[in-house]
Amino acid sequence: MECLLGLLKVRVMRGLNLAICDPLTHSSDPYVVLRHGSQKVKSSIRYHSINPEWNEELTLSITNMMLPVKIEVFDKDTFTKDDSMGDAEFGILDFVEIAKQDHSHLGDGAVMKTIHPDKENCFAAESHITWKDGKVSQDIVLKLRNTETGEIILHLQWVSIPGVSR
């Protein structure tokens, strides 16, 4: 059995400029699926929108910080298989390693690391791992792959488990 390192709260904030999958209405009915290892969590569906606002918190149990979090966006269809609207992924190694450190000496709002967009990640903009309100958090804008357009905005927050060593 793998050791639980902590919980990763992923707030799915919104989607921007997502693909139009329903040509009659010039919109889509998107939802987001997050995967980490064998875990799978899903947002609610936002009907008739290519710029959906979710503001939903999904939680993943982290046992292996080497595995990325994978994101898929789908268009909900009633009578056929849901359409893929793109995918992305992001690594959590830096985030988890920083989250497991002692931060008692840091001031609120301290930036602990900046991650820049590059060929190795799906980031659409630079992202800061910060210490805010006594928690390690990160805002991420991901550019969706395997589609013509679309970005997903996420907010990550680490939850330590009492009794789990740093």
Side-chain angles (χ1 to χ4, degrees), residues 21-22 28-31 42 44-48 73-85:
C21 293
D22 301 329
S28 295
D29 303 322
Y31 65 92
K42 185 168 97 170
S44 61
I45 301 162
R46 291 294 182 251
Y47 292 96
H48 311 295
V73 182
F74 292 96
D75 172 57
K76 179 68 178 165
D77 286 328
T78 304
F79 301 110
T80 59
K81 185 175 181 247
D82 293 354
D83 302 313
S84 175
M85 297 176 70

Side-chain angles (χ1 to χ4, degrees), residues 24-35:
L24 290 176
T25 61
H26 296 291
S27 69
S28 295
D29 303 322
Y31 65 92
V32 175
V33 175
L34 300 180
R35 295 177 195 269

Side-chain angles (χ1 to χ4, degrees), residues 63-166:
T63 56
N64 184 344
M65 61 186 170
M66 303 305 288
L67 294 176
V69 173
K70 298 184 179 197
I71 298 172
E72 294 174 278
V73 182
F74 292 96
D75 172 57
K76 179 68 178 165
D77 286 328
T78 304
F79 301 110
T80 59
K81 185 175 181 247
D82 293 354
D83 302 313
S84 175
M85 297 176 70
D87 64 88
E89 66 179 53
F90 61 92
I92 59 170
L93 179 62
D94 289 336
F95 185 82
V96 174
E97 284 182 339
I98 289 170
K100 295 186 83 45
Q101 296 170 5
D102 177 22
H103 305 293
S104 59
H105 64 286
L106 293 176
D108 195 49
V111 174
M112 296 177 282
K113 182 164 186 154
T114 300
I115 301 170
H116 301 277
D118 63 31
K119 294 177 195 167
E120 304 299 314
N121 64 42
C122 295
F123 287 29
E126 70 179 26
S127 175
H128 306 290
I129 301 174
T130 60
W131 177 250
K132 183 95 172 125
D133 299 325
K135 298 184 185 330
V136 175
S137 63
Q138 182 177 10
D139 292 316
I140 300 176
V141 180
L142 296 172
K143 174 136 181 59
L144 295 175
R145 305 177 293 200
N146 302 311
T147 186
E148 291 180 18
T149 183
E151 295 178 349
I152 295 290
I153 299 172
L154 307 173
H155 175 78
L156 309 182
Q157 185 177 306
W158 183 254
V159 179
S160 296
I161 305 295
V164 173
S165 64
R166 289 187 181 261

Side-chain angles (χ1 to χ4, degrees), residues 2-10 33-42 58-65 67-72 92 158:
E2 293 180 310
C3 179
L4 180 63
L5 301 173
L7 301 177
L8 180 65
K9 288 186 178 181
V10 180
V33 175
L34 300 180
R35 295 177 195 269
H36 185 262
S38 61
Q39 295 174 81
K40 175 182 169 183
V41 291
K42 185 168 97 170
L58 305 174
T59 303
L60 296 166
S61 300
I62 303 302
T63 56
N64 184 344
M65 61 186 170
L67 294 176
V69 173
K70 298 184 179 197
I71 298 172
E72 294 174 278
I92 59 170
W158 183 254

